[in-house]
Amino acid sequence: MTIKFSSAVSGAALTCLLLPAISVAQNADESTQDRVIPISERANPDVDPTPIVEGSFELRPELVFTAGSQSNALASDLNEVEDSFVGFKPSLRVDSNWQRHGLGGAVVIDHREYADLDSESRTDLKVKLRGRLDLGENTSFTVKIKGADQTEDRLALSNVAGSIEPNEYTSARGALGFEHQAGALQLQGDVGLATYDYDDTELAGDLFQDQDFRDRDELSASGRLGYALNDSNVVYAKGTVVQADYAEPNIFNATNRDHTGTVLLVGSEFQVGQSLSGDIGVGYQYYTYDDVIFEDISDVAFAGHVDWQITPRTTLGAEAERSVIDPGIALSNAAIATEASVRLEQGLTSRLSLTGEAGFGQYAFETIERDDDRVNLNVGANWKINQSVWLEGSYEVIDHQSDVQPFTDNRALVKMRIFP
């Protein structure tokens, strides 16, 4: 069993930082206000797209055209290649407008075409279905099914240095959920089954890197018990268990990566007047591995976000999370990821807003001597012209420091969203 000293320090620091906010929320006057919402996400009848009503369903089609450039499209420090791309992303979301129960789904096709690097061009597909059965006003069951055929961004820790193309995989997940409220008590739970299948990655010289070691089935279960102290604050305890069953070891990977992970959190979901809202949970995570060469992981866990409305048109949001992830690397079964970000949004008008965001990630790998740090800075603008056309633009710098795969990438993106 390994316990990271940095984990305890990070957890203690986060708790000291966030406990005052929780305390303030618990003593706040009762309020029915929703969470703080940045101006770009607020409802605005003048520019919000009008859904297409077909009987008992509402259809929300969208077309997204993108154009962008990257200074280091392969995310490499040895072979920096600049390239530009265009993208086309049609999607359709369907939701029922019934008073009780619910049924809906979405289909998204995301295509990106690079000017020079044909191998980086990709077409991804996502399909989602969901249903809700209401048993009275306070009890409901949900069913969610989703499938995807996707390409990993070169920014992923699993990116194979020198590969001709990025990693590709298919995934499918089904989940059953339950929600019930009895007075101040709130009960939520779900059980899900997911499967992941990764394609082998092509290398130079007609070689390939086997990715079967990442193939797995995951059975998960989570439960959340909350108690509403008032209309503005809910304290809760949440537990999640994930059991991962990986593909059998082969000549390319002699280890058994099967594991069971448990995460326990206690926290508060709060609203302070009209200017502050958040959800903060702090606790413990424990992962055990079937293969004796992998040490168990015992570590601090936290996840939370706080949103502050400084002025009617200025919002500041902060997020932080510490979790155990599979980095998708054959030599390392897990990494402890500590991630945090701060986002400032300034509305110039009800239709035009500017954003600035700074993020940090630290990844401590198990089994191997490797620690990665990542910093990303992003500035952008969002202009909702009318109900049919929105424009967005952004510029991002990603700096990744690593003993194995360091890189820096500058990304510019222009996006036009059209609502037919």
Side-chain angles (χ1 to χ4, degrees), residues 107-122:
V107 177
V108 181
I109 300 174
D110 190 357
H111 177 73
R112 178 175 291 189
E113 191 74 25
Y114 280 79
D116 298 322
L117 297 170
D118 293 339
S119 60
E120 299 303 301
S121 300
R122 80 286 299 266

Side-chain angles (χ1 to χ4, degrees), residues 343-360:
R343 178 183 174 88
L344 178 67
E345 180 166 323
Q346 175 64 54
L348 303 181
T349 69
S350 61
R351 303 187 183 201
L352 179 62
S353 61
L354 303 177
T355 59
E357 184 172 2
F360 170 78

Side-chain angles (χ1 to χ4, degrees), residues 21-34 228-234 269-277:
I22 298 177
S23 177
V24 170
Q26 291 175 341
N27 292 305
D29 295 334
E30 292 190 4
S31 171
T32 58
Q33 298 294 329
D34 294 331
L229 300 178
N230 50 51
D231 290 343
S232 302
N233 186 30
V234 175
E269 184 178 356
F270 57 88
Q271 174 82 33
V272 182
Q274 300 181 26
S275 62
L276 186 69
S277 66

Side-chain angles (χ1 to χ4, degrees), residues 178-199:
F178 169 77
E179 292 187 11
H180 177 70
Q181 183 165 346
L185 288 176
Q186 301 175 359
L187 179 63
Q188 300 175 349
D190 69 73
V191 177
L193 177 63
T195 181
Y196 301 87
D197 185 7
Y198 289 82
D199 296 343

Side-chain angles (χ1 to χ4, degrees), residues 138-155:
N138 300 319
T139 305
S140 65
F141 288 89
T142 57
V143 177
K144 296 181 180 180
I145 300 173
K146 62 181 181 180
D149 186 355
Q150 293 183 272
T151 305
E152 285 187 331
D153 195 298
R154 289 282 190 173
L155 297 179

Side-chain angles (χ1 to χ4, degrees), residues 45-185:
D46 294 334
V47 295
D48 288 345
T50 302
I52 301 171
V53 179
E54 292 288 346
S56 299
F57 291 88
E58 295 181 349
L59 284 64
R60 292 176 172 82
E62 181 179 351
L63 299 174
V64 181
F65 296 93
T66 59
S69 66
Q70 297 178 231
S71 66
N72 190 356
L74 301 179
S76 170
D77 66 328
L78 300 177
N79 182 28
E80 294 191 12
V81 179
E82 183 177 355
D83 205 355
S84 59
F85 61 86
V86 293
F88 176 59
K89 184 179 178 182
S91 65
L92 175 64
R93 189 178 121 197
V94 180
D95 295 291
S96 62
N97 54 20
W98 309 332
Q99 291 185 348
R100 292 188 60 193
H101 315 305
L103 186 63
V107 177
V108 181
I109 300 174
D110 190 357
H111 177 73
R112 178 175 291 189
E113 191 74 25
Y114 280 79
D116 298 322
L117 297 170
D118 293 339
S119 60
E120 299 303 301
S121 300
R122 80 286 299 266
T123 300
D124 295 342
L125 172 66
K126 294 181 182 179
V127 178
K128 298 180 181 179
L129 298 173
R130 56 185 178 277
R132 189 189 72 252
L133 177 65
D134 296 327
L135 303 179
E137 296 182 356
N138 300 319
T139 305
S140 65
F141 288 89
T142 57
V143 177
K144 296 181 180 180
I145 300 173
K146 62 181 181 180
D149 186 355
Q150 293 183 272
T151 305
E152 285 187 331
D153 195 298
R154 289 282 190 173
L155 297 179
L157 298 174
S158 56
N159 182 46
V160 180
S163 61
I164 293 177
E165 59 185 13
N167 297 323
E168 298 177 351
Y169 70 98
T170 58
S171 65
R173 187 178 191 275
L176 298 175
F178 169 77
E179 292 187 11
H180 177 70
Q181 183 165 346
L185 288 176

